[in-house]
Amino acid sequence: MTVTDISLSVMQFLLAFIVVGPLLGAVAALLPAPPGLKGRNPDQAVLRHGVTVTGAVLIAAIVLAVGFDHDHPATMQATTDISWIPALDVRIHLGIDGISLPLLVLTALLTFLCALYSYFKPPAGPSPKAFVALVLVLESGTLATFAVLDLLLFFLAFEMVLIPMYFLINRWGGDQRQAAAWKFILYTLLGSVVMLLGLLLVGLKSGTFDMVALATDNGRGLTTSVQVIAVLAIGLGLAVKTPMWPLHSWLPDAHTAAPTVGSVLLAGVLLKMGTYGFVRILLPAAPDGMRTFAPYLAAFAVVGIVYGSLACLALARTGAKGDLKRLIAYSSVGHMGFVLLGIATMTPTGVNGALFANIAHGLITGLLFFLVGAVKDRYGTADLDTLAGATGAALYGRAPRLGALLAFAAVASLGLPGLAGFWGEMLTLFGAYSPAEGLSRPAFRTFMAIGAFGTLLTAAYMLIVVRRVCTGEHTLPARTTPATTPAPSAPDAPQAPATPGTPQTPATTPAPAASPTPGTLQALPAPGDTQAPPAPQLADVQPYEAAAWTPLVALTVLAGLWPAVLLGLTDPAVQKLLSGGKS
């Protein structure tokens, strides 16, 4: 056996382990822990088990990425092809190329970071056994979605993630979790039923469910009418999961109610499954049908960009009682709009931009939900008005490292040059400027202009969020000089509650020697001073939080400064996909 054969066997084993390993780990999580591995208590043991399994899957994904032939990223590698249901020619067909490999590694990374975060801060709810098992089943289904190359296996993997996410929201979520979980499951299941009909139509009419064969055939075995119907049916199911406006309404409720880990996985990996299906299935297998619907897809995409940004602006304004988690969820509607716009251009530039934006969104929005979850844990709320008005200096004054990380994630999300969010949006807009042959250039250039306007709206609401959450309200409460001498009670004696909407006059503290300069924060009192003590400091970034967040920060910077790392993988594979399987 040659070295090449051994290498191929190892790669095949690694890919199979990445897909099946979390599923086996989920079964093991439900079993009693061996006596030597129980640790301090059973809950700690099962949480450590989750970290171990997801860590092993991440290591396998990294080794797979290192062993990947980067000189030929358009070729399917580590392939396994075994007959499963001969009567329908359904096969257990696995493989990766430059399109699926980054998504595979992103999923393994985010799931490991979620497991690590949960080990130190378990979500409030039922026993961790079920929580760890559900997270591992969710990881297995997501990884399988990006690795399988058979239409029916793709559908099974696509559906496999629904039940775990439903229970994560319903059992470990916050307020309104049951309604949000039901909305999530109903929307996605209805979309999936329609998608299954489209997948069966493509498989039966073309004579194969093999995605590689369908991509090579490039729609030549399907009539235009069949392609149009298939794109409509499959596209609806994928659009719900993406989610595309106006099929997005389940997303803000799900994110708002989900626990921190659920929000990270939902935004970081589950939304990518829909856009991946557009690229892997519809673009190569039904190009004529995609060309028919591309202008409509682009129109819905840019409406989603503007709608998501306007919704975020409405939530961010003072007095709106906007929830920060809900705001980030609406921002995802806008960001995924850019991904759909890139796909609708049907050009290598646009599709590469869509794939880059997919990865960037997973890194940045995953980090944002981690940070918002940490802020909510410290303040007890994610209400923007409360966060902005609770203290004069807000995060910068009470937890400066946490505030700095939140500001970093916000500017990365708005597409600051030099960070990962910039390249996906820019390439998408470039693709819209010159769409594929047969698509209307005036229409797509109009879509490009609307999308560019959406980037300005994104910058507006993200900067408002940073100003309010990190530095507090823009106008500080007015200070008045008390007309009476201080009461003889102790300095920390309770005061009467202030009338809502009016500044509170310090009745029990002496008048200051000099009024502070308007618009500046008051200096903290010296020891022994009789002023009321300042608001207590919040716990800043903890070591376990730094361990979970640092990889996302580093990769956001790396992808922004060195985009060729990702584009070098995706571009040859996209070129081959759009050319009908020809390199």
Side-chain angles (χ1 to χ4, degrees):
M1 184 176 288
T2 65
V3 175
T4 304
D5 293 331
I6 296 173
S7 176
L8 176 61
S9 301
V10 171
M11 294 283 281
Q12 289 173 329
F13 170 78
L14 287 173
L15 186 57
F17 172 75
I18 287 169
V19 172
V20 180
L23 204 56
L24 300 177
V27 175
L30 298 175
L31 301 176
L37 298 177
K38 286 185 178 179
R40 291 193 299 269
N41 56 67
D43 289 351
Q44 185 204 39
V46 74
L47 290 169
R48 185 174 60 237
H49 170 78
V51 175
T52 303
V53 174
T54 56
V57 172
L58 175 60
I59 292 172
I62 292 173
V63 174
L64 187 70
V66 171
F68 186 81
D69 185 357
H70 292 262
D71 293 330
H72 301 90
T75 303
M76 283 293 172
Q77 302 180 32
T79 54
T80 299
D81 193 0
I82 303 171
S83 179
W84 183 33
I85 306 177
L88 296 177
D89 194 28
V90 178
R91 311 182 68 81
I92 299 177
H93 192 181
L94 304 177
I96 54 168
D97 62 358
I99 293 172
S100 52
L101 179 62
L103 291 166
L104 208 72
V105 176
L106 175 68
T107 301
L109 173 65
L110 283 177
T111 312
F112 170 71
L113 296 181
C114 286
L116 181 66
Y117 185 86
S118 299
Y119 177 77
F120 292 97
K121 190 169 184 60
S127 166
K129 270 183 173 288
F131 174 81
V132 171
L134 289 170
V135 169
L136 291 175
V137 172
L138 186 100
E139 179 183 30
S140 180
T142 310
L143 291 168
T145 301
F146 299 137
V148 298
L149 297 173
D150 183 274
L151 289 181
L152 293 186
L153 277 183
F154 175 86
F155 176 78
L156 293 177
F158 198 86
E159 295 302 288
M160 185 175 168
V161 304
L162 301 185
I163 300 302
M165 182 54 69
Y166 167 81
F167 281 109
L168 286 175
I169 296 172
N170 193 33
R171 302 298 299 278
W172 286 270
D175 297 336
Q176 305 296 321
R177 60 181 181 269
Q178 292 184 347
W182 274 109
K183 198 171 185 179
F184 163 76
I185 199 74
L186 289 175
Y187 264 77
T188 49
L189 277 178
L190 289 174
S192 298
V193 169
V194 180
M195 184 177 74
L196 176 60
L197 296 177
L199 293 174
L200 290 173
L201 176 66
V202 170
L204 295 175
K205 288 294 184 179
S206 62
T208 181
F209 289 96
D210 187 85
M211 292 156 68
V212 176
L214 288 169
T216 303
D217 187 63
N218 201 221
R220 287 182 286 270
L222 300 173
T223 64
T224 301
S225 59
V226 169
Q227 290 189 37
V228 168
I229 296 171
V231 170
L232 181 61
I234 298 172
L236 279 174
L238 298 174
V240 171
K241 184 66 71 73
T242 298
M244 179 185 76
W245 181 92
L247 304 173
H248 68 283
S249 60
W250 62 268
L251 183 69
D253 293 338
H255 270 310
T256 305
T260 297
V261 167
S263 292
V264 171
L265 293 176
L266 181 58
V269 295
L270 262 67
L271 303 189
K272 312 301 173 283
M273 295 165 62
T275 52
Y276 175 78
F278 275 103
V279 174
R280 176 63 73 195
I281 298 173
L282 292 184
L283 275 179
D288 294 336
M290 274 297 294
R291 194 170 287 106
T292 300
F293 282 105
Y296 304 101
L297 180 62
F300 284 126
V302 296
V303 170
I305 292 170
V306 175
Y307 172 83
S309 299
L310 292 177
C312 290
L313 281 171
L315 290 171
R317 75 177 191 274
T318 304
K321 291 294 180 182
D323 186 282
L324 190 51
K325 288 187 73 175
R326 195 173 189 86
L327 185 147
I328 303 302
Y330 272 111
S331 77
S332 292
V333 176
H335 288 304
M336 299 312 290
F338 278 103
V339 178
L340 291 173
L341 177 61
I343 293 170
T345 67
M346 300 184 68
T347 62
T349 302
V351 176
N352 275 305
L355 294 173
F356 200 105
N358 247 351
I359 300 298
H361 180 265
L363 295 172
I364 297 168
T365 308
L367 177 61
L368 273 171
F369 276 115
F370 267 134
L371 294 169
V372 172
V375 170
K376 186 174 183 179
D377 289 338
R378 286 158 171 79
Y379 279 97
T381 180
D383 179 73
L384 269 170
D385 290 334
T386 303
L387 296 178
T391 63
L395 279 182
Y396 282 161
R398 303 186 68 186
R401 293 183 182 87
L402 182 60
L405 279 172
L406 184 61
F408 168 84
V411 297
S413 182
L414 65 83
L416 185 73
L419 298 176
F422 170 74
W423 295 105
E425 293 181 2
M426 186 194 71
L427 290 172
T428 293
L429 296 177
F430 279 172
Y433 182 81
S434 182
E437 185 178 353
L439 299 179
S440 169
R441 286 199 172 193
F444 271 83
R445 288 180 180 179
T446 302
F447 299 147
M448 180 197 73
I450 297 172
F453 176 67
T455 63
L456 300 179
L457 295 177
T458 303
Y461 71 73
M462 278 299 180
L463 292 176
I464 290 173
V465 167
V466 170
R467 176 178 62 77
R468 298 192 68 204
V469 177
C470 294
T471 65
E473 295 292 1
H474 184 65
T475 303
L476 297 178
R479 300 187 68 237
T480 60
T481 303
T484 60
T485 56
S489 58
D492 57 352
Q495 301 176 2
T499 303
T502 61
Q504 185 175 355
T505 302
T508 60
T509 56
S515 299
T517 305
T520 61
L521 292 175
Q522 182 182 354
L524 297 180
D529 208 341
T530 56
Q531 283 184 315
Q537 291 292 106
L538 294 171
D540 213 335
V541 178
Q542 301 299 299
Y544 72 92
E545 293 174 328
W549 303 341
T550 299
L552 301 179
V553 173
L555 290 173
T556 298
V557 175
L558 176 65
L561 296 178
W562 195 11
V565 173
L566 187 55
L567 292 175
L569 283 172
T570 62
D571 184 54
V574 168
Q575 297 275 1
K576 181 177 180 180
L577 208 66
L578 295 178
S579 63
K582 301 174 184 176
S583 300

